[in-house]
Amino acid sequence: KKMENGKAEINCLEQKVIHRVSSADKVTLQDIARESVGTICEKMHRLPEEYLEELKNGLRVILEGGNGSQHREEFFILQKFVQGRTDLTAKTLVRAHRVQLEILVAINTGIQGFLHPSISLSQNSLIDIFGYKRCRNIACQNQLPADDCTCEICNNTSGFCNLCMCVICNKFDFEVNTCRWIGCDLCSHWTHT
């Protein structure tokens, strides 16, 4: 206590709680990509929020590719694990931990926006994006195929709708209102110039 002008002032040090995670409870990105949804979900419920944020940040760094070929290789290994699994269905993903699902979707799509704290999609939307039933362009979110298009390109489930995807490379980029895109007014399909 300090006495200043007759008033008592209490100086308190804010105590910081440090959560220690035992090595048995730790979860890695490789664990999320390889192990069953239920097992990882159970472990993730016991982990502190700070640890879960570190996992997401670790994947963000990998997706940014700042470390060159090492990060690209690490990402391709994670993506190979995820895309090779047959147990990742809408039925099993409903039981996934929220952060686990965000990480699985980011690995499957290669889009780090799903890990951003300000982007909050519903669990069902994330599951639809993972299963290529909803456009993976976060700004679009159309059901696939968009506008009930029955063309061969739209029936090839690439994860983007005909309003977002390039019909040549089957990819999307976040540049809008540029000369990089050209569209057909008749069928609403787009391509990179």
Side-chain angles (χ1 to χ4, degrees), residues 60-163:
R60 261 191 234 123
V61 168
I62 291 170
L63 289 171
E64 286 171 3
N67 204 5
S69 64
Q70 181 185 354
H71 278 163
R72 274 194 305 277
E73 189 176 313
E74 197 172 346
F75 170 70
F76 288 133
I77 290 169
L78 290 171
Q79 198 171 49
K80 185 178 173 185
F81 284 139
V82 169
Q83 292 178 347
R85 291 176 59 179
T86 57
D87 65 321
L88 295 177
T89 63
K91 197 173 188 178
T92 57
L93 290 173
V94 166
R95 297 187 300 253
H97 187 280
R98 172 71 186 196
V99 173
Q100 179 185 14
L101 184 57
E102 289 170 349
I103 289 172
L104 286 170
V105 170
I107 291 172
N108 193 40
T109 62
I111 300 172
Q112 63 176 302
F114 295 108
L115 304 170
H116 200 275
S118 67
I119 295 174
S120 181
L121 300 174
S122 72
Q123 186 112 350
N124 288 335
S125 291
L126 287 169
I127 292 168
D128 285 349
I129 291 166
F130 186 88
Y132 297 134
K133 293 183 171 128
R134 185 178 295 271
C135 183
R136 54 185 168 155
N137 175 359
I138 296 169
C140 175
Q141 296 293 298
N142 273 333
Q143 290 287 333
L144 295 177
D147 300 329
D148 295 321
C149 184
T150 57
C151 78
E152 186 179 321
I153 295 165
C154 288
N155 284 328
N156 175 16
T157 54
S158 67
F160 289 116
C161 71
N162 59 2
L163 305 173

Side-chain angles (χ1 to χ4, degrees), residues 18-48:
I18 298 173
H19 296 283
R20 301 223 185 262
V21 179
S22 74
S23 60
D25 287 335
K26 283 187 178 177
V27 174
T28 64
L29 293 171
Q30 289 80 10
D31 293 337
I32 294 170
R34 286 190 307 219
E35 292 186 29
S36 76
V37 172
T39 304
I40 297 300
C41 179
E42 216 172 279
K43 285 183 177 182
M44 289 182 93
H45 279 297
R46 293 191 298 256
L47 293 170

